[in-house]
Amino acid sequence: MNGTIKPAGNQVDRPADKLLHSGNSGFIISRYAHFKPGHEQEGINFVSEVLKHMNKADLNGMTFFFFQEAFGDQAKHHWFINMKNPMDYATSLEMVDHDETTRILLNDDVVADDRGFGNWGNAVVQGSITEHILVPQHGLDYGPDDDTDDTWVPAAWRQTAVPKEEQLNTANAPLLVHRVAYARHSTRKEARYYAFAWQNYVNENLRGKVTSYLYEETFGAMDRLHMMIHLSSYEAWEELRNLPDRDPEFRKLLDRQMISPEKGGGTGADAFVPGGVTDTFLVPRQF
């Protein structure tokens, strides 16, 4: 495990088994925002304080993690709000409206500008706050058929036969790749099967180094799929990238014809919109 980057679980003063994360949540809000030039540190400090406060609250286990891009837009910051079900979000909104400390944090004069001081919104580029709702892809899981997770849909940890205690997730992995892929509508089912087959092979053959989970975007763009690829180290990412060249069986998976001739044929990759797959490399914000 990477010894220099602390996983996001360290952002929360709670035992590991009390954290919700990418593996055991049923409903995740992926949120990002751009901070204005000259206000990055103020924005980071503000979000850090708010998330620390929210993580101390009793919100049915709701857990907030804060990430930044390792390579890419350094003004763009990401946080993941992990919940069991959508109703938990209503509980958090109730807290925002009625908790005195939260109201002070949201309304306090914390950001300097040319006119003196203003609230936290002055640190953010107007219109840049964006949210996507991620729900674990269900109907393709290997895990035991029970409801012990008490989640809206089966949690993502069930998507792999790798034992739960050996899986990486947003709480215990020092590095994360958030992959977004647009499936062609005509091959939306094939895209999901291919993504699931891809991650199943990776999870089994890079056990302890890489764990991938598949999500679908709910209340957003149809057939925009998300993968959370959790890494034990940067070396694990390089090993994953080189897998097609060194593993003939993985190469066979990539070359397998997964689209029927009636739909034009093609491999699993052909089920996606050309150029429609993007990766964002994230590291937990080090508090």
Side-chain angles (χ1 to χ4, degrees):
M1 183 65 73
N2 190 306
T4 59
I5 300 176
K6 294 185 293 184
N10 287 272
Q11 298 173 356
V12 187
D13 187 17
R14 231 187 288 163
D17 62 350
K18 301 298 183 183
L19 300 177
L20 288 176
H21 48 67
S22 55
N24 62 7
S25 298
F27 192 85
I28 300 173
I29 297 178
S30 170
R31 176 182 293 166
Y32 64 81
H34 285 81
F35 294 143
K36 291 179 181 177
H39 294 296
E40 292 93 341
Q41 194 57 53
E42 292 165 304
I44 289 169
N45 292 343
F46 168 76
V47 173
S48 299
E49 289 303 312
V50 171
L51 297 194
K52 285 179 182 178
H53 180 64
M54 298 296 284
N55 278 326
K56 292 177 182 178
D58 181 12
L59 299 172
N60 197 26
M62 188 184 296
T63 306
F64 299 73
F65 291 138
F66 191 17
F67 285 77
Q68 62 188 117
E69 296 192 13
F71 315 108
D73 189 342
Q74 295 302 292
K76 187 177 180 181
H77 295 265
H78 304 248
W79 51 104
F80 297 101
I81 307 172
N82 306 279
M83 294 168 272
K84 293 182 180 180
N85 61 72
M87 290 305 298
D88 294 338
Y89 191 54
T91 306
S92 72
L93 293 179
E94 185 77 9
M95 177 178 173
V96 169
D97 289 339
H98 300 288
D99 177 69
E100 184 64 23
T101 300
T102 305
R103 285 196 290 174
I104 290 173
L105 284 170
L106 294 176
N107 296 311
D108 200 13
D109 290 338
V110 294
V111 179
D113 60 20
D114 293 338
R115 295 165 298 172
F117 288 87
N119 64 29
W120 69 274
N122 288 336
V124 179
V125 175
Q126 185 172 346
S128 72
I129 299 178
T130 304
E131 294 181 341
H132 300 295
I133 306 298
L134 311 186
V135 174
Q137 180 67 55
H138 48 287
L140 301 171
D141 52 301
Y142 284 122
D145 187 17
D146 60 45
D147 59 357
T148 54
D149 292 326
D150 189 29
T151 50
W152 195 43
V153 300
W157 72 268
R158 299 176 183 275
Q159 296 175 1
T160 173
V162 173
K164 189 176 183 180
E165 61 273 13
E166 295 182 33
Q167 297 179 29
L168 297 169
N169 53 61
T170 47
N172 64 17
L175 300 172
L176 171 68
V177 173
H178 183 181
R179 175 168 294 176
V180 181
Y182 288 81
R184 292 165 49 202
H185 184 73
S186 61
T187 54
R188 56 202 307 265
K189 181 180 293 185
E190 290 85 351
R192 286 165 170 81
Y193 277 119
Y194 172 71
F196 191 67
W198 181 94
Q199 77 172 24
N200 183 55
Y201 193 94
V202 168
N203 289 342
E204 289 285 352
N205 289 273
L206 294 179
R207 182 182 296 201
K209 300 177 182 179
V210 180
T211 301
S212 176
Y213 299 136
L214 178 64
Y215 305 82
E216 55 185 343
E217 190 170 317
T218 304
F219 315 124
M222 183 177 291
D223 298 326
R224 182 162 57 191
L225 304 180
H226 296 253
M227 299 182 86
M228 296 288 192
I229 306 172
H230 312 84
L231 308 167
S232 64
S233 65
Y234 185 77
E235 289 73 22
W237 173 242
E238 288 299 318
E239 190 171 351
L240 173 59
R241 281 162 45 88
N242 293 327
L243 202 57
D245 297 324
R246 68 173 183 81
D247 188 330
E249 292 302 313
F250 186 65
R251 186 73 248 172
K252 288 180 182 178
L253 170 64
L254 300 184
D255 294 337
R256 183 185 304 164
Q257 295 295 299
M258 300 188 71
I259 302 174
S260 68
E262 292 78 11
K263 293 185 178 181
T267 66
D270 294 319
F272 295 91
V273 174
V277 180
T278 58
D279 287 342
T280 303
F281 204 104
L282 301 173
V283 296
R285 184 68 197 171
Q286 303 296 286
F287 289 170

